[in-house]
């Protein structure tokens, strides 16, 4: 795979962002057509100014000062004041991979050639990215409406030799990092500060990483499902593609087929036809009686495709929104060479992204709800088809088995529900009512990331329980697919025949999931979730 990622303003994918964000060996370059468009846009802006056009952020002030007209001689000073004034985020800094994703999203948007940034300055932006210089971006404080002003201003300040960056493992002044990297700071002219900060690139960059990871988690969860079904002696026939042809939802059909195939060859899964014969032998013409077995599984097993299906379809929709935004221009105004004019607009507004992140949060909370219910079946001897209570095989009562793990998983599943109040509707006006309805898109993305992290821990305990239950039933009866996952986990995860703290093991299982080791391919993903 090439270590050069060409940026053209179009066709960039989530997976491209994720690869370059995590791998500092990936360099980006501006495509030739993009360079030509960037030059044309800047020249058009120059011409429009000479023609006497009044243009927002060029010869007017910005935000609540929009009614102030600004002479051209103050252009550079105003752009520098802009990025200094709005760099007001607070809190801990984003990780480097989030910063790199944000920088890439901004470079790609500017590379569309309608933002009137100079090619020289955008090329310096690219050079700074390629050198691995990561501006320090505080996480909290973006309204997500005139774009992610605070986060992008932190980047813009660093590009101009101000603020702080992480470089070669150290936090240092941006001016020192640029000097060490032999890059001259950007010198801003009219419109360029605005072009750098007026966009949705922080929420979009983070969303690219989140959705990429969510896709892999859902793919992994189908494998977790197969192992759980075996360990709980669920039934396979209900997942037959023949059944799901009668429902038209693509996600449901795909999940059912995947799980059905993963259960092939299992000696642990229940056979519905055999159960039917057993139950028929106990059916009396005269007596109504209860039996130990049942013809159907509980919803958290039987309805898995009907739950994972909409999750998959929702994430597919979110992915389309994120990639559309990634390959869009998101600043104001746009200077469009093919139209020969400047267009004031609201492309910086992050409502698409905010609502998409809310959809992602709903999908992930639903996933943690499903996992929580399966965990409860493992814990409850009345619902586990013969497993001991709390998967405690010996010294019951003296030992508590895996009871404590459910405290954690139930807590995080509950926390996820509390986090799932929609962010995209939480608008408050600001800037003297100039920004009178805001998106909070970056807040929604940050919240989705927290839900994703919690969900991974919940699923980690389900996976731990499934391995424990498989050993109790006889792990040699697992199917080929689930046996591969089981054996990989058993390389570091013991069978619990004594009570001990589960925390270190849960962290190891969570990393196992994050590294993509539960995916059907059995291969490690390019980066951690």
């Amino acid at each position: 795979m090439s270590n050069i990622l060409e940026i053209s303003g179009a066709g960039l994918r989530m997976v491209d962002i994720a690869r370059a964000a995590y791998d500092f060996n990936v360099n980006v370059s501006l495509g030739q057509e993009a360079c030509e468009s960037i030059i044309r846009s800047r020249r058009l802006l120059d011409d429009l100014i000479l023609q006497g056009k009044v243009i927002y952020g060029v010869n007017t002030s910005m935000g609540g000062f929009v009614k102030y007209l600004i002479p051209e001689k103050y252009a550079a000073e105003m752009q520098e004041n802009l990025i200094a004034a709005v760099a007001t985020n607070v809190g801990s800094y984003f990780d480097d991979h989030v910063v790199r994703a944000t920088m890439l999203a901004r470079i790609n948007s500017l590379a569309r050639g309608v933002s009137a940034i100079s090619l020289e300055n955008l090329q310096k932006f690219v050079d700074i990215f390629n050198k691995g210089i990561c501006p320090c971006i505080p996480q909290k404080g973006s309204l997500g409406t005139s774009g992610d002003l605070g986060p992008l201003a932190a980047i813009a300040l660093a590009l101009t030799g101000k603020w702080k960056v992480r470089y070669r493992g150290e936090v240092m002044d941006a001016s020192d990092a640029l000097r060490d990297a032999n890059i001259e700071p950007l010198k801003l002219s009219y419109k360029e500060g605005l072009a750098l900060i007026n966009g949705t690139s922080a929420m979009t960059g983070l969303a690219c990483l989140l959705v990429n990871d969510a896709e892999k988690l859902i793919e992994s969860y189908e494998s977790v499902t197969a192992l759980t079904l075996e360990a709980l002696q669920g039934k396979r026939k209900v997942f037959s593609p023949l059944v799901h042809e009668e429902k038209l939802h693509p996600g449901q059909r795909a999940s059912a087929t995947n799980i059905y195939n993963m259960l092939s060859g299992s000696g642990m899964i229940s056979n519905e036809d055999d159960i039917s014969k057993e139950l028929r032998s106990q059916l009396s013409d005269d007596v109504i009686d209860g039996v130990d077995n049942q013809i159907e599984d509980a919803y958290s097993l039987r309805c898995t495709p009907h739950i994972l299906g909409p999750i998959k379809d929702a994430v597919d929709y979110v992915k389309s929104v994120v990639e559309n935004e990634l390959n869009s221009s998101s600043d104001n105004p746009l200077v469009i060479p093919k139209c020969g004019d400047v267009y004031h607009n609201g492309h910086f507004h992050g409502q698409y992204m905010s609502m998409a992140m809310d959809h992602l949060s709903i999908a992930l909370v639903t996933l943690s709800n499903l996992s929580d219910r399966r965990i409860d079946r493992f814990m409850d001897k009345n619902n586990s088809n013969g497993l001991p209570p709390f998967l405690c095989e010996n010294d019951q009562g003296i030992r508590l088995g895996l009871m404590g793990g459910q405290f954690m998983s139930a807590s995080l599943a509950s926390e996820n529900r509390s986090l799932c109040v929609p962010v995209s509707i939480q608008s408050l006006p600001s800037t003297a009512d100039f920004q009178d309805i805001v998106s909070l898109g970056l807040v929604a993305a940050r919240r989705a990331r927290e839900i994703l992290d919690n969900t991974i821990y919940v699923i980690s305990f389900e996976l731990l329980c499934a391995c424990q239950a498989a050993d109790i039933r006889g792990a040699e009866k697992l199917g080929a697919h689930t046996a591969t996952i089981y054996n990989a986990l058993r390389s570091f995860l013991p069978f619990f025949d004594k009570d001990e703290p589960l925390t270190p093991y849960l962290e190891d299982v969570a990393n196992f999931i994050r590294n993509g080791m539960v995916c059907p391919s059995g291969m490690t993903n390019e980066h951690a979730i």
Side-chain angles (χ1 to χ4, degrees), residues 166-181:
R166 273 191 294 257
Y167 183 47
R168 296 175 177 170
E170 296 182 16
V171 174
M172 62 177 69
D173 289 340
S175 58
D176 294 336
L178 294 179
R179 184 173 58 254
D180 289 351

Side-chain angles (χ1 to χ4, degrees), residues 261-436:
N261 291 338
M262 289 172 184
L263 292 171
S264 176
S266 171
M268 195 179 294
I269 202 77
S270 294
N271 185 299
E272 189 175 302
D273 294 334
D274 290 343
I275 292 171
S276 177
K277 291 176 183 178
E278 176 192 335
L279 293 175
R280 183 65 186 88
S281 71
Q282 300 175 57
L283 181 62
S284 168
D285 291 336
D286 302 314
V287 179
I288 299 173
D289 196 9
V291 291
D292 292 332
N293 217 330
Q294 60 193 47
I295 196 64
E296 288 187 332
D297 289 327
Y299 289 7
S300 59
L301 305 180
R302 177 165 39 115
C303 296
T304 295
H306 312 77
I307 301 168
L308 280 186
I311 290 172
K312 288 168 72 81
D313 290 343
V315 173
D316 284 346
Y317 164 72
V318 171
K319 179 179 180 179
S320 70
V321 172
V322 172
E323 290 191 335
N324 282 344
E325 189 69 26
L326 175 63
N327 291 291
S328 296
S329 296
S330 61
D331 56 298
N332 169 58
L334 296 180
V335 183
I336 306 177
K338 67 181 179 182
C339 302
D341 204 353
V342 62
Y343 291 85
H344 295 98
N345 66 83
H347 286 0
F348 45 67
H349 202 289
Q351 196 68 26
Y352 263 110
M353 295 301 299
S354 186
M355 292 178 69
M357 292 297 95
D358 279 349
H359 287 312
L360 180 62
S361 292
I362 290 169
L364 292 169
V365 171
T366 302
L367 190 61
S368 66
N369 282 344
L370 178 59
S371 185
D372 169 77
R373 290 299 81 211
R374 293 170 172 187
I375 289 166
D376 193 63
R377 303 197 79 76
F378 278 121
M379 297 292 98
D380 187 347
K381 69 176 184 178
N382 298 308
N383 291 321
S384 62
N385 284 333
L387 292 169
F390 304 105
L391 300 179
C392 182
E393 195 174 30
N394 54 64
D395 298 326
Q396 296 168 6
I398 297 175
R399 291 183 54 227
L400 300 184
L402 301 185
M403 185 188 301
Q406 191 177 20
F407 302 159
M408 177 279 298
S409 61
S411 173
L412 293 186
S414 299
E415 182 179 332
N416 274 357
R417 295 182 196 186
S418 74
L419 291 171
C420 205
V421 176
V423 174
S424 57
I425 62 172
Q426 308 295 334
S427 177
L428 283 176
S430 72
T431 324
D433 264 358
F434 190 60
Q435 297 183 29
D436 58 350

